[in-house]
Every structure is written in C-alpha cells, then in structure tokens.
Amino acid sequence: MTIESTSPSPRSVEGAGRIELPSAPEELQSALAEGRPVAWSEPLSILTYPAAEPSVYPMYLDHRVYQGSSGKVYPLPFTEAVSDTAEPREWQAVHLENRFLRLVVLPELGGRIHIGYDKTTDYDFFYRNNVIKPALVGLAGPWVSGGVEFNWPQHHRPATVLPVEHSIEYGPDGSVTVWCADHDPFARMAGQHGVRLRPDSSVVEVVVRLHNRTSERQSFLWWANVAARVHDDYQSFFPEDVRYVADHARRAITAFPRADRPYYGVDYPALADEQPGADRIDFYRNIPVPTSYMVVDSRQDFFGGYDHAENAGFVHWAERRLSPGKKQWTWGDADFGRAWDAQLTDADGPYVELMAGVYTDNQPDFSWLLPGETKVFSQFWFPIPGIGAAHQATPDAAVHVRRGARCEARVATTAPRRAAVLRVRNGETPVASRTVDLSPGRVESIGFESVEPSTVVELLSAEGTVLVRWTAPVAHSGGEPSTAEEPSAPEQIDTVEELYLTGLHLSQYRHPTRSPRSYWHEALRRDPGDIRTNLAIGDGEYRSGRYGSALAHAELALERLTRRNGNPLDTEAYYLAGLALRRLGRDVEAEEHFGKAGWDGTWAAAAGFELAASLLRRGRHRAAERVLDTLDGVVGHDSRRAVLRAIVLRAAGRPDEAGDLLRAELALEPLNPTVRVLSGHSYPSDPGLLLDVAFELRTAGAADEALAVLERLVDAPATAAGNVVPVAHYVAAGLLDLLGRAEEAAERRRRARASDTSWAFPFGLDAHDALTQSLAVEPDDVTALSLLGMLLYAHGRRRDALDCWERAIAHGGDDPVLLRNAGLAAYSVAHDDELAWKRYGSAIERAPQDARLRYEHDQLSERLGHAPSVRLSRLDGVRDLVLSRDDFTVVYVELLAAEGRASEAYDILTTRTFHPWEGGEGRALRAWDDVRESLGLVPADPPATLGEARSRFTAPQAVGDDGVTDYFATSLPEMLLFSREAEE
C-alpha cells in the first residue's frame, strides 16, 4: 500500500488548536516516495505556558517522598510556579517520517517523543498534547504530559523539561535515528536514546545506551512513560498470563483485569455489584481515583492500549529478560482526575500512562551499573489497526483472538507481507488456513469453531518464518503473590547479614524516610569486622568526601578478607581503598590496590581504568597502554577507555590511530561529549556536560585540554539546569596549582569570587576536591566556603556545612542564600533556634521582597511555636508577596480562618487561581472546607480556580494519625526543609 506524504490531519479534538506539522522538505520527498524514512529539524510553534524561573535557594529535599523514593533534587534548581497565561513559542523539533508513521521529538523537553501519528489509520497512537502546559509534578517542579517521556536514572526524569544534545543519523540499513543525550546532574552518568524508523516498517524503535562514566557503582532505573488519550472505550491490555498487579513497592495487590478486593481505597467488588463490569480496571472509565498498577509476573514481552471507539491502538514490545516492567497510571475518571487533566492540557482531555520498565518491574525499583559499565537495549512500539486488544505480539505482527460461539483471529503486521499464511491448528491438526497480503494499517482475519487447550493461531511469512503465534492460555495453579513488608527496627533484626541487606535495600531504593546507616551501625556493633558492612559504610564515607574514614573501613574489610586468603573471591575492598587513596593523593599506593582489584573479573574493568588513568596522570604512558591492552576486547565496553587510549596514542606521536579510534567510538556513541571534544567535533552546548568533559580530561591526565574546556565555560549562562561557572573557575585553579602556575590559579579564584553565583549548586567529589583545595590556599574565601557548604549539606555532612557557612558569615558574607542556608542548618542540624531565627532575619533584611524567603521564615516561625496571631500580623505586612505563592497563600488562608477573618480567606479562595503540586493534593481543598466551616456554610465543591476537586474515596495516607510517615508512602505534601536531624 502506498501512502502519499502529506501533513497529517488527524481527527481534531473539539476546541483544541492543533499543532500544525510541516511537510517534509522538498529535498527529502523523493526518499519518502521511494519508501525510505527521513528526519529533519524544523521548529514547531506550540502554545506554551511558561514555567517561572527556579528558586535561587538550593532545595535539600532528602526526606521528601517522591514516587516512593527520595525526592532529593539538589543540585538541580527547583521551579515552583507556572504561568497562567499561554503564548506561542517556537520549539526546536526533530521530525521523523516514513510511509506509515510521523513522529516529533522535542530536544528542549528531554528528547521526548511528543507526537506519534499513524498515517494509515489517521490516529495519534501516542497522546498528542497540543499545548505545553507544565504542572508541578516533576522531580524539579515542572512536568508536561503527552507523548513518550524517557525516565532515568529515576522517575520522573531530572532532565524531563531540560534541553538535551541531539543529532540525526542515517544508518547503512536505510534507517534514520534521532539521538538524544543528557547530563545526569546527580551522578554524571551518560544516558543516550535514539528514536529510530526503518524503511517499510511501522515500528518505532528506541535504542538506549546507559553508561556509568563514574568511578562508583550507581543505582538507576529506566521507565519509558507512554501517554495514551483515553475515554470510556479505551482499554489497557496486558498479556493473558497476568493474574495480579501491584501498587508501588508491592504494598498492595489486586487481581487483573477484574479487581477482586479494595485497591487505592476503592471497593471494586462492591462497585461491580451495583454496576456489572465496574471492577474491570483495564478500562479507564472504571478507575475513579489516581491509581498505579504494575504487572507482578508475566512470561510475555508485550502490552499496550486499544481505543475501541477509533478501532486503533498500540503495542509495546521488549525482551522480558531485560524489560519486565509493565505499568498503568491514571489520574482517575472522576472530578479529582479531571482537575489534574485541566492543569496539564487545555482541550486534549484525559490520558493514561502505559509505562515500560527496563531492568525494573516496580517503583521504586532500582538496579546497578558498575563503574564504567554500559547497558544497551531496545524498546519497540507500533500502532495497531482494528484487530482489538492484542493477545500476542512481536515486532513483526499482533493478533487478537475472539472467543465465543464463533471464534475469529484478527492479525496486523508492521511491514508489508505478501502471501503470508494465517492459520489455526489444534496441536498438529490443521483447522483453518488463509493466504493473505498484509501491510501496516490493514487487518486480515480467519474464523474457526472453537478454542481448545491445544489451539494455536499463527501468522507465517511466505518463507515460513513465524511472525506471531498465539497459544490458548494455560490455567494457573499457583497462589497469589505476597506483598512487601516493612523491615523491623535494627535492634529487632536477628542477624548481621539481614542488617546489612536491609541497609542495602534502603540505599539502593533511595528510601526517603529511613536511613541505611542505622542498620549498618548496628551490624558493626555486633561484628566490627564484617566485610560487607564495612564496605557499605566505607562507600558512603567516600561519597561524602571523608576519604580517610572510607580508607579505614576498606582496610578493616581487607584485614578479615585476606586473613587466610590472599586472593579473595571479591576484590571490591581493594577497589574502594584505591579510590580513597587516589583522592588522598597517595597515587602509588592506589595503583597497587587497583592492580590487585583487577584480579577479580567483576572489578577488572573498573580497576583497570583507574590504574591506567593514574599512570597517565603520572606521565607513564607506555605503562598505561599496557594496562589498556589487557582490557580492550576482553571486558565490557567503556568509552572512557577510548579517551585514555586516544591520549596515549597522541602522546606517542600516532595521531592518525587516535583519530581512527575516536571515529569508531563516535559511531557507537554519536553524542559522547568527551569523544566529540577530543575528535574536534562540535562542543556540547550544555554547560554541565562541558564540565563533565573537563573532569574526564583531567582524570586522564590531559590537563591542558581540560583547561581549554574550562575556559569555554567562562561565559556559560545560568539556566534551570544550574550554573557551573564558579565551580569551573575553582577546578581550573586547582589544575593550575598542580601545574605550578600559582599566579594564574589565584586569578581564577578571583574570577570565581567575582562571578554570578545564582543557581550555582556544586555537587560531586570533583567539585568537593576543587573547593577544598582552593580553601587550603585561601581559607577566607567567602564564595568557596558558601559553595562548599552547599555541597557538604547535600552530601550528608550537615554539621561541616554549617561550619563552612558560619565561617563565610564571619568573613563578611551577607548573601541572602548564604544566610538562609545557615539558618536552615542552625535549626535542622545544630538545633539552635535562636541562631536560625537570627540568620533568617538577616537574610530578609538583604532580600525583603523575596517571597520564597518569607515563606520559609514563616515555616520556621510555626516550628518555633510562634502564635498564629503573631504570624498573621507579620504576613499582613507583606500580603502581596504571600499571595504570589500557592503554598504561602494556603498557609495565609488557614491563619485568616483561625484568627476570625474567614471572609477574607473566602475572597482569596474564590478569586485567586491555584496550581496544585503532586504530593500536595488536598491542601487548598482542606483550607476551603475549613474556611466554609468557619463562616457557618455547608460543605460545597470548590471553585475551578482552586485547581482541585474532591474525591469520594479515601486513598492510602502518607502520614498516619500519629504523625509517622508510612514506610510505603509514595508522596508526601511537605517539602520537609525544616526537619530536626540527629547529630552525625
């Protein structure tokens, strides 16, 4: 079937102004006519609600519950508001098209697929949001719905609304791929995803490369978050072997597709008694509250969604051995959910998220990447025409088998298939057969009498290759899966092993409210020499910059590990000791430890890299090359090794070999920033990526190249992703000091002090070491002290952070950010209420019109027990600032009602527009109820301007009546900046 390439004109949503998609450029039209896919860059004008500028204050939200794990956002700036007014904006867009599909990728919004349109059925198989309307749902604030969002290394992705690097690649097989790569602000890992179309195929392939380019083991997850437009007749389908689905962290389960028990506060069996079929949670219309459910177990590789009104849908397929995660999320088909829909779109209606997890099957559920490790995988999506919900699918075809008095199998393929054979058999006995011509968008069917236990429906190519095969489902005999249990307190756990494993779970899954250290400390109290626990604590000490303590724990582990066995089974202790020794400047000892760590295959690649890099930094190029020779072609791919070898080859006068090596590496990773810089390609535009490149070049001993990259950061803009300029200056100063160029180093430190520090939130050990080294030279540098304090606070060294900030203040620092940080630490860490109040007061004197600062000041006032009347009197004096923030306004309304001024509160609630935030649902609604009660009015639904609606069901509560946060809570309204912490 030939389909002309035109601008798609899908059925419009009433009242929505649709995004106008341009036709392919004239120079690509011939390629399209010949059946080849094409891609091009061309901006799209999309009505957009701009997000506000981020807060200038670092947000330390370690105890914030977000998606069931830590909502820690530092070092990303946090954005707290979105405009109520939309305006057209030109968005950078990359368009992909072939005979059957039209896609749009938005690099400025995390590289998401914003549009997925099936030309054969005139159907958007991915939810097309015709506006960019952020709601405060993301990890760092704004988040937009629609299309496909790629979440890593946690959910929702830190870079979900930030720009990514991108490029277009044409493959020798005729495919076209749009590559996107981002900067992971937390661990500096590298994530690249390529959106690929092939000739004569309706399959969207997403090729993913996840690379841990750090020296530490890192946890991660990957969820591709697909949105689908829904209504009463939209069905989310899972494989037929799925019997149960689970909530986040498996805190609850229910049967699927018919919920057989209360779930998320909804008694589905009772609803089904009133209305038959109301327990079918595979239909959006039956789910009245925000709900997640994830497949507990399935042996199948596919799932998807089907629109029974439009007779179209889509399938996701990926190998289950890597991609077991299959999930649906919805805001719910009720007033509450529709209020959230209105926050995210103007006229495109509700959606569900059909999420596919790789190396994960739940949330929170994290896996590991070893240092230098690369994981590569693909995910596939394709639209399906009117076959119904797929009962089996492969990347080649999908089949639906209708059972009843007269059975029928309907099939659709993802590529043209002439003379394909559609047949039914019972065992080896033929039942029915047809030869059919198929192509994307076309449905063929075959009828047969009945489904027997041995019935097989299959579609074969003309050459006899099985394209898809369905077999009759087999009844399950096993019981239902168990739900998760909250771990006992450390003193109640019997064994050291269980204490260690419990702490590991809390660390790996980034639990927001319970620390692993209490379990590990209890383990060491019982057995001070336990190897695993010493390594776990030592690793934490190393990551916080306490290198001496990390080394001590590693040596304790080594003492027991090598007492009888000089060649231990696992050499992680040698590796950790090597890392600590390297940071302490004891390079020769570090190399000895890395050499021994390399005896173990698990750590050979990581240890070999560290050893080669250390030798390079010491100018031992031939020795470094010999180490690399033992790694390349033997252990897994690590692009960092290519960088080391290229530097070695250039030093040996072999630049042509270095160029060939770098070109081969770019063929694997087109957007690898360090390889691009070394090979002379364009520099990445993301300042964070450029700083990463400088760190990697410095690690490889290429000091001059690192300095050249750092010089490019001098004028880098401060953006919603942060500000790296001051840290870049301090890193350059440290390098210059090492090179004996003291005057240039001092000039760099002067430039750091003179630079704009807005959104400059340093993080990571390289920044830690640069700031520490600078302070060793100039201990009264207020800027370095302030920045180091922010970094230490984020790394868990709260008392050291407070000391840095107080030293900065003693040396004349009076920046509002510095004073606010010191006040926060005084309350939370030192428990010095008087100092906390003093520091906040000083910050407000410097920035009296800062609404965020005023809000935190009032939150501190509440925690210090100030009377409501006192707080209200203070807020009355800055009423305009109060009303500029949703959270502050809610607090103000509550105080007005409590102090007998409910009519004023009522006026505010009925005239001001609010934007709810995920985890903060219900705050404005509770204020509405309290105000009406204070006025003697009967309960009533809130106005639309409140941004929220009432739910008739009670969902699981994050905080119990006793004030304790539920261990399994998935979100928590409070940001928890002010949280008393025990001494470290």
Side-chain angles (χ1 to χ4, degrees):
M1 180 169 73
T2 301
I3 299 170
E4 297 291 75
S5 172
T6 60
S7 294
S9 55
R11 283 178 285 277
S12 63
V13 180
E14 185 177 355
R18 295 191 64 79
I19 296 172
E20 294 293 330
L21 293 181
S23 297
E26 185 175 347
E27 63 269 20
L28 299 179
Q29 290 288 345
S30 59
L32 270 176
E34 294 167 7
R36 287 179 284 152
V38 298
W40 72 98
S41 293
E42 185 172 351
L44 277 182
S45 178
I46 307 176
L47 197 65
T48 300
Y49 292 81
E53 282 196 342
S55 171
V56 297
Y57 302 99
M59 293 296 153
Y60 299 107
L61 307 180
D62 308 54
H63 303 304
R64 169 191 177 205
V65 185
Y66 181 79
Q67 301 291 331
S69 60
S70 172
K72 179 178 180 179
V73 66
Y74 185 97
L76 274 179
F78 194 74
T79 300
E80 303 177 279
V82 176
S83 174
D84 292 324
T85 304
E87 55 195 40
R89 171 176 166 174
E90 292 286 303
W91 288 92
Q92 186 182 54
V94 183
H95 306 258
L96 296 91
E97 186 173 2
N98 67 8
R99 288 187 193 274
F100 311 114
L101 301 181
R102 183 71 187 267
L103 306 177
V104 173
V105 174
L106 296 181
E108 292 175 297
L109 289 175
R112 70 191 303 115
I113 302 175
H114 193 67
I115 293 175
Y117 169 67
D118 180 5
K119 294 160 64 175
T120 72
T121 58
D122 188 30
Y123 182 71
D124 286 311
F125 56 99
F126 298 149
Y127 178 91
R128 181 194 292 219
N129 199 341
N130 289 285
V131 295
I132 303 298
K133 191 175 187 180
L136 300 177
V137 173
L139 182 71
W143 180 85
V144 297
S145 64
V148 185
E149 173 197 27
F150 301 105
N151 289 287
W152 114 286
Q154 71 181 83
H155 193 86
H156 282 282
R157 180 182 182 187
T160 188
V161 294
L162 295 177
V164 297
E165 305 290 312
H166 73 283
S167 66
I168 297 173
E169 174 188 81
Y170 283 89
D173 59 353
S175 65
V176 62
T177 306
V178 176
W179 288 101
C180 298
D182 72 341
H183 164 70
D184 163 25
F186 300 121
R188 295 180 47 243
M189 293 191 288
Q192 296 185 42
H193 68 268
V195 182
R196 177 174 294 165
L197 290 184
R198 298 182 183 277
D200 284 328
S201 173
S202 62
V203 174
V204 179
E205 180 182 2
V206 172
V207 188
V208 182
R209 296 182 68 87
L210 306 179
H211 179 215
N212 178 7
R213 62 187 180 194
T214 76
S215 298
E216 300 81 39
R217 191 192 330 236
Q218 305 290 353
S219 63
F220 79 100
L221 56 72
W222 175 276
W223 281 96
N225 185 8
V226 177
R229 183 171 177 258
V230 292
H231 45 70
D232 285 357
D233 294 323
Y234 196 93
Q235 180 183 11
S236 303
F237 59 82
F238 289 158
E240 291 183 284
D241 65 349
V242 174
R243 298 181 299 149
Y244 293 95
V245 292
D247 185 14
H248 289 262
R250 292 202 185 194
R251 63 178 177 179
I253 65 167
T254 188
F256 182 89
R258 294 188 180 277
D260 63 351
R261 67 200 75 184
Y263 192 66
Y264 274 82
V266 180
D267 189 339
Y268 285 101
L271 291 179
D273 288 341
E274 300 173 7
Q275 181 180 343
D279 54 351
R280 286 286 300 266
I281 58 173
D282 54 338
F283 281 90
Y284 160 79
R285 64 176 182 258
N286 293 326
I287 305 175
V289 295
T291 302
S292 290
Y293 54 76
M294 287 157 266
V295 166
V296 173
D297 193 20
S298 173
R299 296 181 180 179
Q300 302 297 325
D301 303 308
F302 75 98
F303 74 110
Y306 191 79
D307 187 330
H308 290 275
E310 297 288 345
N311 287 320
F314 77 89
V315 165
H316 170 268
W317 188 94
E319 288 187 86
R320 189 198 173 278
R321 68 184 178 91
L322 300 179
S323 180
K326 301 172 177 64
K327 171 188 172 182
Q328 179 184 283
W329 152 261
T330 175
W331 291 108
D333 183 21
D335 289 346
F336 183 92
R338 284 186 280 275
W340 270 106
D341 294 333
Q343 294 292 322
L344 290 158
T345 190
D346 281 349
D348 291 300
Y351 67 95
V352 296
E353 296 171 8
L354 291 169
M355 300 170 55
V358 182
Y359 297 106
T360 176
D361 69 354
N362 199 279
Q363 290 177 321
D365 184 18
F366 294 85
S367 298
W368 292 104
L369 277 166
L370 286 167
E373 182 182 1
T374 300
K375 290 188 185 295
V376 181
F377 57 87
S378 286
Q379 296 176 280
F380 304 86
W381 288 267
F382 57 90
I384 51 176
I387 65 170
H391 291 139
Q392 185 55 265
T394 70
D396 297 314
V399 59
H400 171 91
V401 180
R402 188 181 69 194
R403 280 144 277 188
R406 177 66 179 171
C407 300
E408 182 186 46
R410 296 195 291 267
V411 296
T413 58
T414 61
R417 300 284 182 178
R418 293 186 62 82
V421 176
L422 173 58
R423 69 187 186 188
V424 182
R425 55 185 171 85
N426 289 334
E428 297 303 319
T429 303
V431 172
S433 180
R434 287 187 64 203
T435 299
V436 295
D437 292 337
L438 283 160
S439 63
R442 181 171 177 176
V443 177
E444 290 291 347
S445 64
I446 190 169
F448 54 102
E449 292 298 327
S450 63
V451 170
E452 306 298 333
S454 60
T455 296
V456 176
V457 175
E458 53 192 0
L459 180 69
L460 290 79
S461 70
E463 297 75 26
T465 302
V466 176
L467 301 176
V468 67
R469 175 181 290 145
W470 174 88
T471 58
V474 177
H476 292 271
S477 57
E480 68 178 46
S482 61
T483 55
E485 296 180 355
E486 179 179 352
S488 302
E491 61 275 9
Q492 297 172 334
I493 289 178
D494 292 335
T495 66
V496 169
E497 179 180 60
E498 190 178 352
L499 284 165
Y500 162 74
L501 290 173
T502 302
L504 178 63
H505 169 77
L506 296 171
S507 173
Q508 178 177 345
Y509 283 49
R510 309 179 185 187
H511 199 278
T513 61
R514 189 173 296 189
S515 170
R517 295 180 69 89
S518 59
Y519 291 87
W520 290 336
H521 285 156
E522 175 62 18
L524 289 190
R525 187 189 67 79
R526 300 184 196 180
D527 183 1
D530 183 71
I531 295 168
R532 296 161 305 178
T533 309
N534 271 296
L535 290 178
I537 292 181
D539 177 76
E541 294 290 271
Y542 170 80
R543 291 171 192 258
S544 69
R546 294 187 176 106
Y547 306 133
S549 177
L551 179 61
H553 282 286
E555 289 176 336
L556 263 176
L558 280 171
E559 181 182 347
R560 177 172 291 184
L561 193 65
T562 60
R563 186 176 302 162
R564 293 184 175 86
N565 187 354
N567 304 320
L569 181 67
D570 186 307
T571 61
E572 182 181 359
Y574 282 108
Y575 182 75
L576 177 59
L579 291 180
L581 288 164
R582 172 202 155 194
R583 294 284 180 179
L584 289 167
R586 296 158 60 179
D587 292 339
V588 174
E589 294 174 78
E591 290 168 11
E592 293 174 355
H593 282 76
F594 289 137
K596 191 60 182 262
W599 289 28
D600 172 8
T602 300
W603 294 98
F609 170 82
E610 297 296 338
L611 176 56
S614 181
L615 291 167
L616 270 180
R617 289 193 297 274
R618 296 204 296 124
R620 299 186 59 195
H621 293 81
R622 293 184 64 189
E625 186 174 18
R626 285 193 292 271
V627 173
L628 293 173
D629 287 342
T630 68
L631 300 177
D632 292 343
V634 180
V635 297
H637 177 262
D638 181 356
S639 62
R640 302 178 307 164
R641 290 205 303 270
V643 170
L644 296 187
R645 187 175 286 280
I647 291 171
V648 167
L649 290 170
R650 288 179 176 179
R654 295 148 65 188
D656 291 343
E657 292 179 59
D660 291 342
L661 172 67
L662 293 172
R663 280 188 290 274
E665 193 63 35
L666 279 177
L668 286 175
E669 296 187 42
L671 294 177
N672 184 302
T674 308
V675 176
R676 284 166 64 190
V677 168
L678 275 181
S679 60
H681 280 62
S682 60
Y683 280 69
S685 57
D686 182 343
L689 276 176
L690 268 179
L691 186 60
D692 289 348
V693 170
F695 286 148
E696 290 188 2
L697 291 173
R698 186 189 64 174
T699 296
D704 289 337
E705 290 88 342
L707 284 170
V709 172
L710 291 168
E711 185 61 34
R712 296 180 72 96
L713 288 170
V714 169
D715 297 318
T719 70
N723 175 8
V724 302
V725 173
V727 169
H729 280 308
Y730 284 116
V731 173
L735 265 175
L736 291 165
D737 274 331
L738 288 174
L739 296 172
R741 296 155 63 178
E743 290 185 7
E744 294 176 70
E747 172 61 16
R748 281 288 198 160
R749 287 190 287 270
R750 186 200 65 75
R751 291 169 70 184
R753 290 191 292 274
S755 62
D756 178 17
T757 58
S758 299
W759 304 325
F761 303 152
F763 195 66
L765 297 182
D766 291 318
H768 168 274
D769 292 354
L771 290 166
T772 303
Q773 291 161 13
S774 184
L775 285 166
V777 178
E778 297 182 6
D780 59 351
D781 182 343
V782 169
T783 300
L785 285 166
S786 178
L787 294 176
L788 180 60
M790 285 193 277
L791 183 149
L792 292 175
Y793 204 88
H795 282 260
R797 293 172 58 180
R798 311 292 214 205
R799 173 61 73 170
D800 292 341
L802 177 56
D803 291 345
C804 281
W805 288 329
E806 286 299 324
R807 284 171 56 195
I809 293 169
H811 287 299
D814 63 354
D815 179 76
V817 175
L818 167 64
L819 293 165
R820 171 269 194 177
N821 289 341
L824 177 65
Y827 175 85
S828 297
V829 179
H831 303 181
D832 189 334
D833 297 346
E834 182 178 348
L835 180 61
W837 190 249
K838 176 182 177 182
R839 293 292 179 237
Y840 264 95
S842 298
I844 287 175
E845 287 178 8
R846 305 305 189 278
Q849 296 303 307
D850 190 312
R852 171 83 214 181
L853 195 56
R854 292 279 187 175
Y855 172 68
E856 290 187 14
H857 189 236
D858 178 68
Q859 293 296 292
L860 177 61
S861 176
E862 180 183 21
R863 282 160 176 77
L864 297 181
H866 296 181
S869 58
V870 173
R871 293 172 56 205
L872 181 58
S873 176
R874 190 182 299 123
L875 300 188
D876 280 335
V878 288
R879 182 184 171 101
D880 289 346
L881 291 179
V882 171
L883 297 180
S884 70
R885 294 179 58 92
D886 287 353
D887 48 8
F888 210 175
T889 301
V890 170
V891 169
Y892 185 55
V893 163
E894 292 170 341
L895 288 172
L896 287 171
E899 293 300 304
R901 296 162 59 185
S903 59
E904 293 179 56
Y906 188 83
D907 288 341
I908 293 171
L909 292 174
T910 53
T911 57
R912 186 188 183 281
T913 299
F914 291 80
H915 295 274
W917 60 97
E918 188 174 29
E921 302 97 336
R923 286 289 306 274
L925 186 57
R926 285 194 296 275
W928 167 260
D929 290 340
D930 290 345
V931 167
R932 288 189 65 88
E933 182 179 0
S934 298
L935 292 172
L937 301 174
V938 299
D941 290 334
T945 52
L946 213 61
E948 294 194 83
R950 203 181 305 281
S951 175
R952 63 190 182 97
F953 299 94
T954 302
Q957 298 300 300
V959 179
D961 294 337
D962 57 0
V964 175
T965 301
D966 180 6
Y967 176 82
F968 292 111
T970 58
S971 63
L972 185 62
E974 300 299 331
M975 290 299 185
L976 296 179
L977 275 175
F978 294 100
S979 176
R980 295 288 201 195
E981 299 181 8
E983 289 288 339
E984 300 171 35

